[in-house]
Amino acid sequence: PPYNYIDDQGAAVGWDYDTFNAICALINCTPIFEVTSWDGMLIAIASGEFDVAADGITYTAERDESVDFSQLYQSYDETLLVRDAEDRFTTVDELLALPDFMVGTQIGTTNEITAHAVFGADHTRSFDTFGAAIEALLNDDVDALVVDRPAAEGYIEAQGGMRTIEESLSGVQGLAFAFPSGSTLIASVNAAMDRMIADGTWNDIYRAWF
């Protein structure tokens, strides 16, 4: 959450679903949503297994070499997610000064890259899903998580017991939808995004989830 998750009733919900349903309503398509693992998703996109990926994907020049991207749709920063009761540190430097610590993240993400760069691979534990990383944090198995701030706020609202630190870890970055290289769908999706921004639909969906 808030991008996509399974709610208490077992329904697939979130910003990604509402946004792509609205995009398809404008460009005359029917979205078929398929959940897949994060670490293999961009590889599957590059090979044409999917037409588009929507999962809070950060644009990077390295990723742009294997897949194409839509226009950016959201800027964000990375932060540390910690337990509510955490009182040993409030900054990155204070965490680094602890004699022994472990930072959690999700495998294959830009968060993992940031965690390795800031804290070192020996102090980073990567999980297959971010939900598993959240569980590890709440169970005191890790001291903090490196996470995109919007996703952190979504988990805080959904589960409670956690908070973020104010400090940013790597500056402002941008999210975009990913497509197979040369996809003719990109121009249509960008046009739909522009239309939704102009008529207020984009802000309506954003406010519903953020």
Side-chain angles (χ1 to χ4, degrees):
Y3 295 102
N4 56 77
Y5 62 101
I6 306 300
D7 68 12
D8 293 338
Q9 286 72 47
V13 298
W15 183 89
D16 289 329
Y17 291 100
D18 286 358
T19 297
F20 250 91
N21 278 321
I23 287 173
C24 278
L26 289 174
I27 64 175
N28 194 31
C29 63
T30 301
I32 300 172
F33 298 103
E34 186 169 335
V35 177
T36 188
S37 64
W38 170 267
D39 57 337
M41 182 174 61
L42 291 181
I43 296 173
I45 284 288
S47 67
E49 184 177 341
F50 301 110
D51 298 300
V52 59
D55 194 29
I57 303 168
T58 301
Y59 170 87
T60 69
E62 181 180 2
R63 289 173 174 173
D64 200 22
E65 294 177 358
S66 59
V67 299
D68 285 347
F69 286 94
S70 69
Q71 62 196 29
L72 299 180
Y73 63 76
Q74 187 178 9
S75 60
Y76 73 95
D77 68 330
E78 293 176 290
T79 186
L80 287 179
L81 182 65
V82 300
R83 293 178 290 275
D84 258 343
E86 181 59 69
D87 59 4
R88 296 171 299 164
F89 61 92
T90 59
T91 67
V92 168
D93 285 344
E94 290 176 352
L95 174 56
L96 288 168
L98 295 179
D100 187 26
F101 69 89
M102 185 62 65
V103 172
T105 188
Q106 184 178 7
I107 191 170
T109 62
T110 50
N111 299 150
E112 184 183 48
I113 295 171
T114 297
H116 286 174
V118 176
F119 302 104
D122 290 342
H123 290 282
T124 300
R125 181 180 174 188
S126 298
F127 296 84
D128 289 337
T129 68
F130 198 74
I134 290 286
E135 184 177 349
L137 177 66
L138 294 175
N139 288 337
D140 292 352
D141 293 329
V142 296
D143 299 293
L145 302 181
V146 176
V147 60
D148 300 345
R149 197 176 297 272
E153 292 169 350
Y155 273 101
I156 290 169
E157 182 176 353
Q159 294 188 238
M162 299 172 288
R163 58 182 171 82
T164 59
I165 67 169
E166 294 184 8
E167 185 176 358
S168 295
L169 301 183
S170 58
V172 175
Q173 303 182 61
L175 302 182
F177 302 124
F179 301 80
S181 295
S183 172
T184 58
L185 188 60
I186 300 172
S188 296
V189 169
N190 282 343
M193 292 165 67
D194 288 340
R195 172 68 178 273
M196 291 164 63
I197 291 169
D199 68 17
T201 303
W202 192 270
N203 281 341
D204 289 343
I205 297 174
Y206 185 88
R207 282 193 292 264
W209 293 105
F210 292 91

